[in-house]
Amino acid sequence: MKRTLMGAALAAFALGGWGAANAQEPLRIGVLEDMSGVYADITGANSVAGAELAVEDFGGTVLGRPIEVLSADHQNKADVGASIARKWYDVDGVEMITGLGNSSVALAVRGISTEKNKVNISTSAGTNALTGEACSKTGFHWVYNTFALSKTIAQSVVESGADTMFIVAADYTFGHALADDARKFTEAAGGTVLGQVNAPLGTADFSSFILQAQASGAKTIGLALAGGDLVTFIKQAAEFGVTEQGQAMAGFIIFVNDIKALGLTAAQGLYLAETFYWDQDDETRAMAERYKAKTGEMPNGMQAGVYGSVLHYLKAVEAAGTTEAEAVAAKMREMPVEDFYTKGATVREDGRVMRDFSLYQVKAPGDSSGEWDMLTRIGTLEDGEAFQTLEEGGCPLVQ
């Protein structure tokens, strides 16, 4: 009996000691983004900064555990992103991955996260499939998708009188999806798409694509490009005198970082669709200054979205009292999204955050009061109106 009691006491001590040690094990969140390629300026290290600011504002701990942010470069390669996600989940104890710019990477990580029963929140990928055929109980699509971008831009362009378009698209999942949606909404508004070319990711010389767009005679060149590719195209188009010869350019996905790189002279008059602009109100201005102090730049919607996704996830972990993915994901759908960027948005069954989407126009240099004073808001589609319905989305989880 003495040996049994002592064994029981030692077992209890061991369990208690293990529990105390486990309680101090960090809760790890991974930010997986393009850190060195064409999307690094619009996602990258500034997205990591958003996660770190969210952890700071939450208080640094949850359920008695310190919170740790890991980051890695997926290099815009689905296999690289998938390999990092597996290691993070299996070896490093990561509970949630966010960021995931590049739709091919996002879809690969969605599959692994579903397999491993882990929460994943795409803030930077645009493919509609994330809330469609690839939706999952533990997956979320936080900021934008190609449907909303195209609906907001294409409809406005056609209604302005520019009823013919030639599309230049990035030659991978995101670019194809954006171009397909742009075509659909252009035609739905009564316009015509006269042609399309697909440019490889990281193209250095767009001259042949620009010449094809000019030869089409389209009133508008629709750019289903992003990041460095978008900036390079617009700079080279200026050298060809595209706008001077009467063709307008519409960027389906442009951010303040792109405009800063281009300069207002080159970018003035462009329409863009965004979910966030730093100069909206006192709260967004104050948070943007914190970003700028940390990164040297104002945040765009994707980078602000990382902040929001991490903060909402941590609130859900606290409310659920566990890091178990399905329990946390259920809380994330129950709770309204509330932060400096998002005000009371609901999270739909398919994981879509039903947020506002605004149309902006780039200011002329003479209308700007400072280096980051770039945009004028034209109008807003509120409460998820820009996104496809559940029926249109096709998520198999939705009955």
Side-chain angles (χ1 to χ4, degrees), residues 118-168:
K118 298 290 185 180
V119 173
N120 65 107
I121 309 173
S122 294
T123 58
S124 311
T127 177
N128 302 326
L130 289 165
T131 50
E133 59 267 29
C135 73
S136 75
K137 290 181 180 179
T138 58
F140 298 86
H141 205 180
W142 209 254
V143 180
Y144 71 98
N145 64 13
T146 60
F147 186 102
L149 290 172
S150 300
K151 180 177 180 179
T152 305
I153 293 293
Q155 184 172 312
S156 299
V157 167
V158 173
E159 288 175 354
S160 74
D163 56 358
T164 56
M165 181 180 291
F166 186 91
I167 298 173
V168 181

Short mmCIF file of all heavy atoms in Angstrom, two decimals, residues 118-168:
data_model
loop_
_atom_site.label_atom_id
_atom_site.label_comp_id
_atom_site.label_asym_id
_atom_site.label_seq_id
_atom_site.Cartn_x
_atom_site.Cartn_y
_atom_site.Cartn_z
N LYS A 118 -6.51 22.25 -38.13
CA LYS A 118 -5.95 23.48 -37.63
C LYS A 118 -6.66 24.67 -38.28
O LYS A 118 -7.13 24.60 -39.42
CB LYS A 118 -4.45 23.57 -37.93
CG LYS A 118 -3.62 22.47 -37.29
CD LYS A 118 -3.52 22.64 -35.77
CE LYS A 118 -2.57 21.62 -35.16
NZ LYS A 118 -2.47 21.77 -33.68
N VAL A 119 -6.71 25.79 -37.56
CA VAL A 119 -7.32 27.01 -38.09
C VAL A 119 -6.37 27.66 -39.09
O VAL A 119 -5.17 27.78 -38.83
CB VAL A 119 -7.65 28.00 -36.95
CG1 VAL A 119 -8.12 29.34 -37.52
CG2 VAL A 119 -8.71 27.41 -36.02
N ASN A 120 -6.90 28.08 -40.24
CA ASN A 120 -6.12 28.86 -41.20
C ASN A 120 -6.98 30.01 -41.71
O ASN A 120 -8.17 29.84 -41.98
CB ASN A 120 -5.62 27.98 -42.36
CG ASN A 120 -6.74 27.43 -43.20
OD1 ASN A 120 -6.96 27.87 -44.33
ND2 ASN A 120 -7.49 26.47 -42.67
N ILE A 121 -6.37 31.19 -41.81
CA ILE A 121 -7.10 32.40 -42.16
C ILE A 121 -6.38 33.09 -43.31
O ILE A 121 -5.31 33.66 -43.13
CB ILE A 121 -7.20 33.36 -40.96
CG1 ILE A 121 -7.73 32.64 -39.71
CG2 ILE A 121 -8.09 34.54 -41.30
CD1 ILE A 121 -7.69 33.49 -38.44
N SER A 122 -6.97 33.04 -44.50
CA SER A 122 -6.36 33.67 -45.67
C SER A 122 -6.73 35.14 -45.69
O SER A 122 -7.89 35.50 -45.85
CB SER A 122 -6.84 32.99 -46.95
OG SER A 122 -6.37 31.65 -47.02
N THR A 123 -5.72 36.00 -45.53
CA THR A 123 -5.95 37.44 -45.58
C THR A 123 -5.48 38.04 -46.89
O THR A 123 -5.94 39.12 -47.26
CB THR A 123 -5.20 38.15 -44.43
OG1 THR A 123 -3.80 37.85 -44.54
CG2 THR A 123 -5.71 37.68 -43.08
N SER A 124 -4.58 37.38 -47.59
CA SER A 124 -3.95 37.98 -48.77
C SER A 124 -4.24 37.25 -50.07
O SER A 124 -3.92 37.78 -51.14
CB SER A 124 -2.43 38.05 -48.57
OG SER A 124 -2.10 38.61 -47.32
N ALA A 125 -4.79 36.05 -50.02
CA ALA A 125 -5.14 35.32 -51.24
C ALA A 125 -6.51 35.75 -51.73
O ALA A 125 -7.38 36.12 -50.92
CB ALA A 125 -5.12 33.82 -50.97
N GLY A 126 -6.73 35.69 -53.04
CA GLY A 126 -7.97 36.19 -53.59
C GLY A 126 -8.93 35.16 -54.16
O GLY A 126 -10.07 35.49 -54.47
N THR A 127 -8.51 33.90 -54.31
CA THR A 127 -9.36 32.94 -55.00
C THR A 127 -10.68 32.70 -54.28
O THR A 127 -10.73 32.49 -53.07
CB THR A 127 -8.62 31.60 -55.20
OG1 THR A 127 -9.52 30.67 -55.83
CG2 THR A 127 -8.12 31.01 -53.89
N ASN A 128 -11.75 32.69 -55.07
CA ASN A 128 -13.09 32.45 -54.52
C ASN A 128 -13.24 31.03 -53.97
O ASN A 128 -14.14 30.76 -53.17
CB ASN A 128 -14.15 32.67 -55.60
CG ASN A 128 -14.11 34.07 -56.18
OD1 ASN A 128 -13.81 35.03 -55.50
ND2 ASN A 128 -14.39 34.18 -57.47
N ALA A 129 -12.36 30.13 -54.39
CA ALA A 129 -12.46 28.72 -53.97
C ALA A 129 -12.32 28.55 -52.46
O ALA A 129 -12.79 27.56 -51.90
CB ALA A 129 -11.40 27.89 -54.67
N LEU A 130 -11.69 29.52 -51.79
CA LEU A 130 -11.49 29.39 -50.35
C LEU A 130 -12.80 29.38 -49.58
O LEU A 130 -12.87 28.85 -48.46
CB LEU A 130 -10.58 30.52 -49.84
CG LEU A 130 -9.11 30.39 -50.27
CD1 LEU A 130 -8.38 31.70 -50.05
CD2 LEU A 130 -8.43 29.24 -49.52
N THR A 131 -13.85 29.99 -50.15
CA THR A 131 -15.17 29.86 -49.54
C THR A 131 -16.12 29.10 -50.47
O THR A 131 -17.33 29.10 -50.26
CB THR A 131 -15.78 31.24 -49.22
OG1 THR A 131 -15.69 32.09 -50.37
CG2 THR A 131 -15.03 31.90 -48.07
N GLY A 132 -15.53 28.45 -51.48
CA GLY A 132 -16.29 27.62 -52.39
C GLY A 132 -15.95 26.17 -52.19
O GLY A 132 -16.11 25.63 -51.11
N GLU A 133 -15.42 25.53 -53.24
CA GLU A 133 -15.16 24.10 -53.16
C GLU A 133 -14.09 23.73 -52.14
O GLU A 133 -14.05 22.59 -51.66
CB GLU A 133 -14.77 23.56 -54.54
CG GLU A 133 -13.53 24.18 -55.15
CD GLU A 133 -13.81 25.36 -56.06
OE1 GLU A 133 -14.84 26.06 -55.84
OE2 GLU A 133 -13.01 25.60 -56.97
N ALA A 134 -13.23 24.69 -51.75
CA ALA A 134 -12.17 24.41 -50.78
C ALA A 134 -12.50 24.91 -49.38
O ALA A 134 -11.62 24.97 -48.52
CB ALA A 134 -10.85 25.02 -51.24
N CYS A 135 -13.75 25.27 -49.12
CA CYS A 135 -14.12 25.75 -47.78
C CYS A 135 -13.94 24.63 -46.76
O CYS A 135 -13.93 23.45 -47.09
CB CYS A 135 -15.55 26.26 -47.76
SG CYS A 135 -16.82 24.97 -47.85
N SER A 136 -13.75 25.02 -45.51
CA SER A 136 -13.59 24.02 -44.45
C SER A 136 -14.11 24.56 -43.13
O SER A 136 -14.29 25.78 -42.97
CB SER A 136 -12.11 23.63 -44.29
OG SER A 136 -11.39 24.66 -43.64
N LYS A 137 -14.33 23.66 -42.17
CA LYS A 137 -14.85 24.06 -40.85
C LYS A 137 -13.87 24.97 -40.12
O LYS A 137 -14.28 25.80 -39.30
CB LYS A 137 -15.13 22.83 -40.00
CG LYS A 137 -16.30 21.99 -40.46
CD LYS A 137 -16.52 20.81 -39.52
CE LYS A 137 -17.69 19.97 -39.96
NZ LYS A 137 -17.91 18.80 -39.07
N THR A 138 -12.58 24.82 -40.40
CA THR A 138 -11.57 25.58 -39.68
C THR A 138 -10.88 26.62 -40.56
O THR A 138 -9.85 27.16 -40.20
CB THR A 138 -10.51 24.64 -39.08
OG1 THR A 138 -9.92 23.88 -40.14
CG2 THR A 138 -11.13 23.69 -38.07
N GLY A 139 -11.44 26.89 -41.74
CA GLY A 139 -10.84 27.83 -42.69
C GLY A 139 -11.65 29.10 -42.84
O GLY A 139 -12.89 29.07 -42.81
N PHE A 140 -10.94 30.23 -43.03
CA PHE A 140 -11.60 31.53 -43.14
C PHE A 140 -10.96 32.32 -44.27
O PHE A 140 -9.78 32.19 -44.57
CB PHE A 140 -11.45 32.31 -41.82
CG PHE A 140 -12.11 31.63 -40.65
CD1 PHE A 140 -11.43 30.67 -39.92
CD2 PHE A 140 -13.42 31.92 -40.31
CE1 PHE A 140 -12.03 30.01 -38.86
CE2 PHE A 140 -14.04 31.27 -39.25
CZ PHE A 140 -13.34 30.32 -38.52
N HIS A 141 -11.80 33.19 -44.90
CA HIS A 141 -11.32 34.11 -45.93
C HIS A 141 -11.62 35.51 -45.41
O HIS A 141 -12.78 35.90 -45.34
CB HIS A 141 -12.01 33.83 -47.26
CG HIS A 141 -11.20 34.26 -48.44
ND1 HIS A 141 -11.64 34.11 -49.73
CD2 HIS A 141 -9.98 34.83 -48.54
CE1 HIS A 141 -10.72 34.56 -50.57
NE2 HIS A 141 -9.71 35.02 -49.86
N TRP A 142 -10.57 36.27 -45.10
CA TRP A 142 -10.72 37.41 -44.21
C TRP A 142 -10.92 38.75 -44.88
O TRP A 142 -11.64 39.61 -44.38
CB TRP A 142 -9.50 37.49 -43.29
CG TRP A 142 -9.81 38.12 -41.97
CD1 TRP A 142 -9.47 39.38 -41.54
CD2 TRP A 142 -10.54 37.52 -40.90
NE1 TRP A 142 -9.95 39.58 -40.26
CE2 TRP A 142 -10.61 38.45 -39.85
CE3 TRP A 142 -11.14 36.27 -40.72
CZ2 TRP A 142 -11.26 38.20 -38.64
CZ3 TRP A 142 -11.77 36.01 -39.52
CH2 TRP A 142 -11.83 36.96 -38.51
N VAL A 143 -10.28 38.99 -46.04
CA VAL A 143 -10.25 40.35 -46.58
C VAL A 143 -11.07 40.48 -47.86
O VAL A 143 -12.17 41.01 -47.85
CB VAL A 143 -8.80 40.83 -46.78
CG1 VAL A 143 -8.76 42.25 -47.35
CG2 VAL A 143 -8.04 40.79 -45.45
N TYR A 144 -10.55 40.03 -48.98
CA TYR A 144 -11.17 40.26 -50.28
C TYR A 144 -11.21 38.95 -51.05
O TYR A 144 -10.65 37.93 -50.63
CB TYR A 144 -10.35 41.28 -51.08
CG TYR A 144 -9.03 40.72 -51.57
CD1 TYR A 144 -8.89 40.23 -52.86
CD2 TYR A 144 -7.93 40.64 -50.71
CE1 TYR A 144 -7.69 39.69 -53.30
CE2 TYR A 144 -6.72 40.10 -51.15
CZ TYR A 144 -6.61 39.63 -52.43
OH TYR A 144 -5.43 39.09 -52.86
N ASN A 145 -11.89 38.95 -52.19
CA ASN A 145 -11.72 37.87 -53.17
C ASN A 145 -11.88 38.45 -54.57
O ASN A 145 -12.21 39.64 -54.73
CB ASN A 145 -12.67 36.69 -52.92
CG ASN A 145 -14.15 37.04 -53.05
OD1 ASN A 145 -14.51 38.10 -53.57
ND2 ASN A 145 -15.01 36.16 -52.58
N THR A 146 -11.62 37.64 -55.58
CA THR A 146 -11.63 38.16 -56.94
C THR A 146 -13.04 38.57 -57.37
O THR A 146 -13.20 39.47 -58.19
CB THR A 146 -11.07 37.12 -57.93
OG1 THR A 146 -11.86 35.93 -57.89
CG2 THR A 146 -9.62 36.78 -57.58
N PHE A 147 -14.04 37.90 -56.82
CA PHE A 147 -15.43 38.26 -57.13
C PHE A 147 -15.69 39.71 -56.73
O PHE A 147 -16.20 40.51 -57.53
CB PHE A 147 -16.36 37.31 -56.36
CG PHE A 147 -17.83 37.45 -56.66
CD1 PHE A 147 -18.46 36.55 -57.50
CD2 PHE A 147 -18.59 38.47 -56.10
CE1 PHE A 147 -19.83 36.67 -57.78
CE2 PHE A 147 -19.94 38.59 -56.36
CZ PHE A 147 -20.57 37.70 -57.20
N ALA A 148 -15.35 40.07 -55.49
CA ALA A 148 -15.63 41.42 -54.98
C ALA A 148 -14.81 42.48 -55.70
O ALA A 148 -15.32 43.56 -56.03
CB ALA A 148 -15.35 41.47 -53.48
N LEU A 149 -13.53 42.19 -55.96
CA LEU A 149 -12.70 43.15 -56.69
C LEU A 149 -13.27 43.43 -58.07
O LEU A 149 -13.41 44.59 -58.48
CB LEU A 149 -11.28 42.59 -56.83
CG LEU A 149 -10.41 42.50 -55.58
CD1 LEU A 149 -9.12 41.75 -55.90
CD2 LEU A 149 -10.09 43.88 -55.03
N SER A 150 -13.60 42.37 -58.79
CA SER A 150 -14.08 42.53 -60.16
C SER A 150 -15.45 43.18 -60.21
O SER A 150 -15.71 44.03 -61.07
CB SER A 150 -14.13 41.16 -60.84
OG SER A 150 -12.86 40.58 -60.87
N LYS A 151 -16.31 42.81 -59.28
CA LYS A 151 -17.66 43.39 -59.25
C LYS A 151 -17.58 44.90 -59.03
O LYS A 151 -18.24 45.69 -59.71
CB LYS A 151 -18.49 42.74 -58.15
CG LYS A 151 -19.91 43.29 -58.03
CD LYS A 151 -20.69 42.55 -56.95
CE LYS A 151 -22.11 43.09 -56.83
NZ LYS A 151 -22.89 42.35 -55.79
N THR A 152 -16.74 45.31 -58.08
CA THR A 152 -16.63 46.72 -57.74
C THR A 152 -16.02 47.53 -58.87
O THR A 152 -16.51 48.62 -59.21
CB THR A 152 -15.78 46.89 -56.47
OG1 THR A 152 -16.32 46.08 -55.42
CG2 THR A 152 -15.77 48.34 -56.00
N ILE A 153 -14.96 47.02 -59.50
CA ILE A 153 -14.24 47.77 -60.52
C ILE A 153 -14.91 47.70 -61.89
O ILE A 153 -15.16 48.72 -62.53
CB ILE A 153 -12.78 47.29 -60.63
CG1 ILE A 153 -12.02 47.62 -59.35
CG2 ILE A 153 -12.10 47.91 -61.84
CD1 ILE A 153 -11.81 49.08 -59.10
N ALA A 154 -15.18 46.49 -62.36
CA ALA A 154 -15.69 46.33 -63.74
C ALA A 154 -17.01 47.07 -63.94
O ALA A 154 -17.21 47.74 -64.97
CB ALA A 154 -15.85 44.85 -64.06
N GLN A 155 -17.90 46.96 -62.99
CA GLN A 155 -19.19 47.62 -63.10
C GLN A 155 -19.01 49.14 -63.20
O GLN A 155 -19.64 49.80 -64.03
CB GLN A 155 -20.06 47.27 -61.89
CG GLN A 155 -21.47 47.83 -61.93
CD GLN A 155 -22.32 47.28 -60.79
OE1 GLN A 155 -22.34 46.09 -60.54
NE2 GLN A 155 -23.00 48.17 -60.10
N SER A 156 -18.12 49.69 -62.38
CA SER A 156 -17.89 51.14 -62.39
C SER A 156 -17.26 51.60 -63.70
O SER A 156 -17.61 52.67 -64.23
CB SER A 156 -16.98 51.53 -61.22
OG SER A 156 -17.58 51.18 -59.99
N VAL A 157 -16.32 50.83 -64.22
CA VAL A 157 -15.64 51.21 -65.46
C VAL A 157 -16.62 51.26 -66.62
O VAL A 157 -16.65 52.23 -67.40
CB VAL A 157 -14.50 50.21 -65.76
CG1 VAL A 157 -13.99 50.38 -67.19
CG2 VAL A 157 -13.34 50.42 -64.77
N VAL A 158 -17.45 50.23 -66.74
CA VAL A 158 -18.41 50.19 -67.85
C VAL A 158 -19.43 51.32 -67.71
O VAL A 158 -19.77 52.00 -68.69
CB VAL A 158 -19.12 48.83 -67.90
CG1 VAL A 158 -20.24 48.84 -68.94
CG2 VAL A 158 -18.12 47.73 -68.24
N GLU A 159 -19.89 51.56 -66.49
CA GLU A 159 -20.88 52.62 -66.27
C GLU A 159 -20.31 54.00 -66.57
O GLU A 159 -21.05 54.93 -66.86
CB GLU A 159 -21.40 52.55 -64.84
CG GLU A 159 -22.31 51.35 -64.59
CD GLU A 159 -22.75 51.21 -63.14
OE1 GLU A 159 -22.25 51.99 -62.29
OE2 GLU A 159 -23.59 50.33 -62.86
N SER A 160 -18.98 54.14 -66.50
CA SER A 160 -18.35 55.43 -66.82
C SER A 160 -18.29 55.68 -68.33
O SER A 160 -17.92 56.77 -68.75
CB SER A 160 -16.94 55.47 -66.24
OG SER A 160 -16.06 54.66 -67.00
N GLY A 161 -18.62 54.66 -69.14
CA GLY A 161 -18.60 54.80 -70.59
C GLY A 161 -17.50 54.01 -71.27
O GLY A 161 -17.48 53.90 -72.50
N ALA A 162 -16.58 53.47 -70.49
CA ALA A 162 -15.49 52.66 -71.07
C ALA A 162 -15.98 51.23 -71.22
O ALA A 162 -15.70 50.35 -70.39
CB ALA A 162 -14.26 52.72 -70.17
N ASP A 163 -16.71 50.96 -72.30
CA ASP A 163 -17.47 49.71 -72.42
C ASP A 163 -16.73 48.60 -73.16
O ASP A 163 -17.31 47.55 -73.45
CB ASP A 163 -18.82 49.97 -73.08
CG ASP A 163 -18.70 50.63 -74.45
OD1 ASP A 163 -17.55 50.92 -74.87
OD2 ASP A 163 -19.74 50.87 -75.09
N THR A 164 -15.45 48.81 -73.51
CA THR A 164 -14.64 47.73 -74.07
C THR A 164 -13.36 47.59 -73.24
O THR A 164 -12.78 48.58 -72.81
CB THR A 164 -14.27 47.98 -75.54
OG1 THR A 164 -13.60 49.25 -75.67
CG2 THR A 164 -15.52 47.99 -76.42
N MET A 165 -12.93 46.35 -73.05
CA MET A 165 -11.78 46.09 -72.17
C MET A 165 -10.88 45.01 -72.77
O MET A 165 -11.36 44.06 -73.39
CB MET A 165 -12.27 45.64 -70.79
CG MET A 165 -11.15 45.35 -69.78
SD MET A 165 -11.79 44.83 -68.16
CE MET A 165 -12.54 46.34 -67.59
N PHE A 166 -9.59 45.17 -72.56
CA PHE A 166 -8.60 44.14 -72.84
C PHE A 166 -7.94 43.81 -71.51
O PHE A 166 -7.53 44.70 -70.77
CB PHE A 166 -7.55 44.64 -73.84
CG PHE A 166 -6.58 43.58 -74.28
CD1 PHE A 166 -6.84 42.81 -75.40
CD2 PHE A 166 -5.40 43.35 -73.57
CE1 PHE A 166 -5.95 41.83 -75.81
CE2 PHE A 166 -4.51 42.38 -73.97
CZ PHE A 166 -4.78 41.61 -75.10
N ILE A 167 -7.83 42.51 -71.19
CA ILE A 167 -7.35 42.08 -69.88
C ILE A 167 -5.92 41.54 -69.96
O ILE A 167 -5.62 40.71 -70.83
CB ILE A 167 -8.28 41.00 -69.27
CG1 ILE A 167 -9.68 41.57 -69.06
CG2 ILE A 167 -7.72 40.47 -67.96
CD1 ILE A 167 -10.72 40.54 -68.64
N VAL A 168 -5.07 42.01 -69.07
CA VAL A 168 -3.73 41.45 -68.87
C VAL A 168 -3.73 40.80 -67.50
O VAL A 168 -3.94 41.48 -66.48
CB VAL A 168 -2.64 42.52 -68.96
CG1 VAL A 168 -1.26 41.88 -68.78
CG2 VAL A 168 -2.72 43.28 -70.28
#
